[in-house]
Every structure is written in structure tokens, then in C-alpha cells.
Amino acid sequence: QVQLVESGGGLVQAGGSLRLSCAASGSISSVDAMGWYRQAPGKQRELVAFITGGGRTNYVDSVKGRFTISRDNAKNTLYLQMNSLKPEDTAVYYCNVLPYSRDYWGQGTRVTVSS
């Protein structure tokens, strides 16, 4: 079973950037859509962005123009480039397939944006 491990989070000031990575223990080339989810304190987990096997991307309105999702099937890795970060982006970020599978939730990576 493929395991997903997120990394790249941290503490950053508003306006800063971070690049998140999601490393899969197995091949993701056969996986169609993969996405980044986040859960802010006291809120439900939400889908932030996804990318299909064909490279089509989609973003939640709140991150459009600031976040970019990409995947490297050769490296079995999913990325999320986050620019112009805002305090409301503070959350634990997770990667998973679409629709999500409970078997694939990892520990996530925490992103904290200070004002």
C-alpha cells in the first residue's frame, strides 16, 4: 500500500512563500487525481488544489493566483508552491488522492503564517 509523507511546512511571515512536498512510497503514475487538503484549527478539512494525471489543475477560490500544484511522476512526488501567504492559510496540509482515501492520510505538514 502506498504511503504519503508530507514535508516543507514551517513558520513564515505574511507575504512569504513555502513549497510543500508529498513523497509517495510507491508509484503515482497510475493515480489520476491527487490533491492537497488543509485543516485549519477548529475547521473541517478542505480540498485546496488538485491535479489530474493529464495535468489539469483546479484550486479553491481563496488560493487562486497564489498557489500552484504540480506533480513529478518520475519522482513519485506531489508539490504545492505557496506564494503571497496569508494568516488565513495557517493549517496542517495533507496530500491524498481524489476522492480521498482514509488509508492515505499521513501526518501532514504544519504551515503557520504570522501577520
Side-chain angles (χ1 to χ4, degrees):
Q1 178 175 314
V2 173
Q3 291 185 320
L4 304 174
V5 179
E6 303 91 349
S7 63
L11 173 63
V12 64
Q13 289 187 331
S17 298
L18 285 172
R19 188 192 194 203
L20 306 185
S21 298
C22 168
S25 62
S27 175
I28 64 171
S29 59
S30 62
V31 177
D32 187 15
M34 294 193 70
W36 283 97
Y37 301 74
R38 69 184 178 187
Q39 187 164 20
K43 295 187 177 181
Q44 289 189 334
R45 196 170 300 185
E46 65 169 343
L47 176 63
V48 174
F50 72 82
I51 182 168
T52 67
R56 181 174 66 87
T57 60
N58 197 288
Y59 302 88
V60 68
D61 285 347
S62 60
V63 308
K64 282 182 180 176
R66 301 188 297 121
F67 290 11
T68 302
I69 188 171
S70 62
R71 64 193 287 174
D72 186 334
N73 289 343
K75 295 183 178 179
N76 296 321
T77 303
L78 182 72
Y79 302 99
L80 185 67
Q81 177 67 43
M82 306 188 296
N83 299 328
S84 302
L85 282 162
K86 303 177 180 180
E88 51 263 44
D89 295 319
T90 294
V92 179
Y93 286 71
Y94 305 85
C95 59
N96 207 317
V97 298
L98 263 77
Y100 71 80
S101 168
R102 293 179 179 178
D103 292 338
Y104 291 152
W105 289 124
Q107 295 301 308
T109 186
R110 184 175 300 274
V111 172
T112 303
V113 184
S114 63
S115 58

